[in-house]
Amino acid sequence: MRSLFFLLGVGLLIAGCKKDGASKEDNGGKNLTDIVSQAYLDKAKEMGFTVYTGDKPPHILGSYLLAPWRFDGDNYSEPGTGTTPGDTNPNGFTLSLLTDQTGANFTVRYTGYYEGEKELSKPFIIGSGDNFTICRHIQMVGGMGALFSFPYIQLISGTKDGVNLRNVKMATIGLKASTPNEAGITVDGNISIRSDADGISTPKD
């Protein structure tokens, strides 16, 4: 009997390990907080951004027009400098989510908007019900007149509503570089928030 309980216990342990491993593998081998600290996510929340957690996001493959696209604010510009909160691009840009959103070939593309120099790990989607957060770990130019590039996490959250997306917002969060640049410039903890100003992002062919 003891041997039976032991075997059952080992079987459950192995099954649990496989489940956890599969979950991490779906997210490029990382959880969101493996990339960005909870403190930065909490700060983004204070600035009006929502991260939707969970492992069953809605199916959102396709292309969507995010317009008008508005700058809501940041936590690093001195008063009177940088982009003015409320500044809006009426044409916005197209967000394209391609291939298999749960697989290794999931791809995020922007048309008409800077999408970064390269991906540092594959993008993934978290969320549940109709709510989602797209997670992109990327290298981007930024800081001191865009003379250097830095690692960022870029998060796009919203709600699936039929064929549309609603209340789409983007949080771009600067991360600590693995090696400092010669000027000692950092974007670590710099957060900016942008959004689809009319609250509705429609499909784009």
Side-chain angles (χ1 to χ4, degrees):
M1 183 65 71
R2 289 182 180 176
S3 297
L4 177 60
F5 285 140
F6 175 77
L7 290 173
L8 286 172
V10 170
L12 289 171
L13 178 60
I14 292 173
C17 289
K18 285 183 177 178
K19 183 177 180 182
D20 290 343
S23 175
K24 276 203 152 192
E25 194 171 298
D26 289 344
N27 292 348
K30 293 179 179 292
N31 291 319
L32 181 56
T33 49
D34 291 335
I35 302 172
V36 57
S37 73
Q38 186 62 50
Y40 291 170
L41 296 176
D42 290 343
K43 182 61 179 178
K45 182 178 179 181
E46 291 177 15
M47 296 170 66
F49 186 80
T50 300
V51 174
Y52 294 110
T53 58
D55 59 3
K56 293 183 179 180
H59 181 81
I60 55 173
L61 287 185
S63 295
Y64 304 89
L65 179 62
L66 276 53
W69 190 239
R70 180 181 63 205
F71 175 75
D72 295 332
D74 63 43
N75 68 342
Y76 54 86
S77 295
E78 294 294 330
T81 67
T83 305
T84 304
D87 185 67
T88 302
N89 174 1
N91 297 321
F93 71 99
T94 299
L95 167 68
S96 296
L97 309 171
L98 308 171
T99 320
D100 175 7
Q101 77 173 43
T102 62
N105 295 320
F106 176 57
T107 303
V108 180
R109 287 287 178 264
Y110 304 155
T111 303
Y113 195 75
Y114 178 54
E115 60 183 26
E117 294 181 313
K118 63 179 180 180
E119 292 180 342
L120 299 176
S121 58
K122 74 174 187 176
F124 57 92
I125 305 178
I126 55 178
S128 63
D130 294 325
N131 300 317
F132 64 87
T133 297
I134 302 163
C135 309
R136 300 185 66 228
H137 184 203
I138 54 178
Q139 190 82 10
M140 295 175 63
V141 170
M144 197 177 176
L147 296 177
F148 304 100
S149 65
F150 304 91
Y152 287 83
I153 184 79
Q154 197 165 69
L155 306 173
I156 303 173
S157 286
T159 301
K160 180 74 179 294
D161 182 14
V163 298
N164 301 320
L165 304 181
R166 288 191 177 272
N167 303 319
V168 172
K169 287 193 173 188
M170 174 189 286
T172 303
I173 304 174
L175 305 175
K176 186 176 182 179
S178 56
T179 56
N181 55 64
E182 58 269 28
I185 304 299
T186 181
V187 297
D188 190 21
N190 287 0
I191 302 173
S192 62
I193 308 294
R194 293 171 170 82
S195 64
D196 189 334
D198 65 8
I200 303 175
S201 305
T202 56
K204 181 79 179 293
D205 295 330

